DNA sequence: TTCGCTGTTGTACGAATGTAAAACAAATCT
DNA sequence: AGATTTGTTTTACATTCGTACAACAGCGAA
């Protein structure tokens, strides 16, 4: 029997190919059915190669989780940091970005949930999760503070942190249910719902954040 | 070799034993390592018995998810429905119940997340999830409406629904992060954070909900 | 060109998986 | 008490899993 033709790829390229194939398989099949052979096939590679890049399949899955979280937090940190926006617009953009593609994605939520299911059991997953959560919390806090001072609201660190925790909860919960697409309501209303709720949580005047909705629609 | 001693149980008892063993195994080991043999052992039963109660192991896992969601929604519907509380106190209780045991639980979040990870791929999981989500949404809406009218706020159905969606997101997100116990802040502050944020989302005066916090502490 | 290196494939193996079906025992019925 | 039913265990089997390892092939260096 003749061997399969193949071409050598750079280490980094092959590695991320494997990681992305892992994510695709986990999202499509679930953690239990995402076997080494299927991941390798999806990456266009034979199964034995996995052990050449990762000490074990479990470690590869862990690395895939870290890879996913890295992508997501990087995307979050990019949003609302572009030009010199007003503090209110920047905060609104960070919030609203979670309710439009690519953040709003059934695949991403499936992966996120699958991995979160292991946080309690596997310390490595717990570390990755904690790190991602902390980064997003810090980002929110940094975006909240200037808005509060600009609006003349109390902005002591303790209050900012509590508000960031609440805002993060709101975003997470809405993002999950919205991305799952259960069809109980129109997901296109999520940005408006989220921004209005954020206004309330921060005790800002009406339309302080929601008035930046139309701008984003025009820009896209 | 002598056979194992055993005693017959009622069908319902054996069934729920198997379902609870399934949940324990999934929470402790993850979906992939929760094998039929381990679940059976945890239920004090031999592996072959599973097929006597469920057409397949996958169907048993699905049934375990439905069982878990049934427990959780039943617990949610009980909270704040006891005696003749004020609308504000009833709403506060429904919200705060999510941030104290038994709702606030690492095991429950792990299970919830693990199963949500299959929603996108398996329609049976999607149905169970949608049903539980809808029920909690309806419960929140029913608790929100009387508060709004009592406070003289606008309470049309569309607004109530949007507020329920936002409030559910807030609760879900805070519940997840709080139950995972990442140690980034003291989880005992969650009820206060959640109630204050809910006040803001509903645009209620300060302490409308939070003043019911002390009462709950005293009662327990 | 030839050599050496290493990324890659193919195969093999033990363990674990879900499931089927036979053997058995405990309760129920007559 | 004996017969019957059925909940339960046991054994068996085909499959799949993760992994180890030897063989091979592409590529740069000499």
């Amino acid at each position: 029997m003749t061997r399969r033709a193949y071409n050598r790829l750079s280490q980094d390229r092959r590695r991320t190919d494997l990681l992305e194939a892992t994510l695709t398989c986990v999202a499509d099949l679930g953690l239990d059915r995402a076997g080494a052979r299927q991941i390798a096939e999806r990456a266009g590679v034979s199964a034995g190669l996995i052990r050449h890049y990762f000490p074990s399949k479990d470690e590869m899955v862990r690395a895939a989780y870290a890879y996913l979280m890295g992508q997501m937090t990087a995307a979050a940190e990019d949003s609302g940091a572009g030009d010199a926006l007003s503090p209110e617009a920047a905060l609104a953009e960070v919030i609203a970005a979670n309710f439009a593609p690519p953040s709003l994605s059934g695949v991403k939520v499936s992966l996120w949930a699958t991995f979160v299911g292991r946080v309690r059991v596997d310390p490595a997953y717990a570390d990755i999760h904690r790190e991602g959560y902390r980064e997003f919390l810090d980002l929110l806090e940094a975006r909240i503070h200037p808005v509060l001072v600009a609006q003349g609201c109390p902005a002591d660190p303790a209050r900012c942190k509590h508000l960031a925790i609440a805002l993060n909860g709101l975003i997470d919960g809405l993002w999950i249910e919205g991305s799952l697409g259960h069809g109980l309501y129109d997901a296109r209303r999520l940005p408006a719902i989220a921004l209005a709720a954020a206004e309330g949580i921060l005790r800002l005047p009406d339309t302080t954040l929601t008035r930046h909705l139309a701008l984003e629609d025009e820009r896209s």
Side-chain angles (χ1 to χ4, degrees), chain A:
Chain A
M1 177 172 174
T2 134
R3 283 210 158 204
R4 205 165 102 192
Y6 69 92
N7 39 356
R8 301 169 103 106
L9 261 57
S10 82
Q11 289 207 12
D12 281 2
R13 175 60 195 274
R14 192 66 91 188
R15 214 182 109 95
T16 62
D17 276 3
L18 280 171
L19 293 180
E20 271 164 9
T22 305
L23 293 179
T24 308
C25 282
V26 171
D28 285 358
L29 312 169
L31 252 186
D32 46 343
R33 287 171 175 74
R37 285 169 179 82
Q38 333 210 7
I39 294 172
E41 184 186 10
R42 183 109 37 163
V45 136
S46 90
L49 191 59
I50 288 178
R51 293 288 316 243
H52 196 264
Y53 283 90
F54 300 95
S56 76
K57 181 223 164 193
D58 278 4
E59 291 269 357
M60 180 171 72
V61 177
R62 274 188 270 261
Y65 180 38
Y67 176 74
L68 172 73
M69 290 301 286
Q71 277 186 321
M72 290 180 65
T73 62
E77 278 162 3
D78 282 354
S79 65
D83 343 66
L85 296 169
S86 70
E88 293 82 3
L91 177 59
E93 193 162 314
V94 168
I95 296 174
N98 294 95
F99 305 107
S103 288
L104 190 81
S105 143
V107 174
K108 286 221 174 79
V109 182
S110 291
L111 290 168
W112 177 89
T114 301
F115 290 132
V116 166
R118 312 217 69 163
V119 160
R120 199 181 129 268
V121 147
D122 188 326
Y125 287 91
D127 289 345
I128 299 167
H129 172 82
R130 180 187 304 111
E131 179 71 7
Y133 181 61
R134 193 185 53 74
E135 282 186 26
F136 194 64
L137 218 51
D138 288 348
L139 171 67
L140 276 181
E141 206 172 330
R143 291 278 193 282
I144 288 173
H145 185 262
V147 173
L148 292 183
V149 296
Q151 298 281 333
C153 305
D156 53 292
R159 182 166 133 87
C160 278
K161 178 155 190 177
H162 283 180
L163 292 175
I165 292 170
L167 215 49
N168 175 79
L170 174 78
I171 293 171
D172 273 9
L174 286 179
W175 172 72
I176 294 164
E177 301 299 346
S179 295
L180 285 177
H182 36 48
L184 293 174
Y185 50 81
D186 189 347
R188 282 173 299 182
R189 300 190 176 177
L190 276 177
I193 293 175
L195 287 178
E199 278 170 4
I201 290 177
L202 303 181
R203 299 241 164 233
L204 302 173
D206 274 345
T207 76
T208 306
L209 298 175
T210 45
R211 69 157 167 260
H212 297 285
L213 254 179
L215 269 78
E216 291 180 6
D217 286 349
E218 287 168 13
R219 232 185 288 171
S220 62

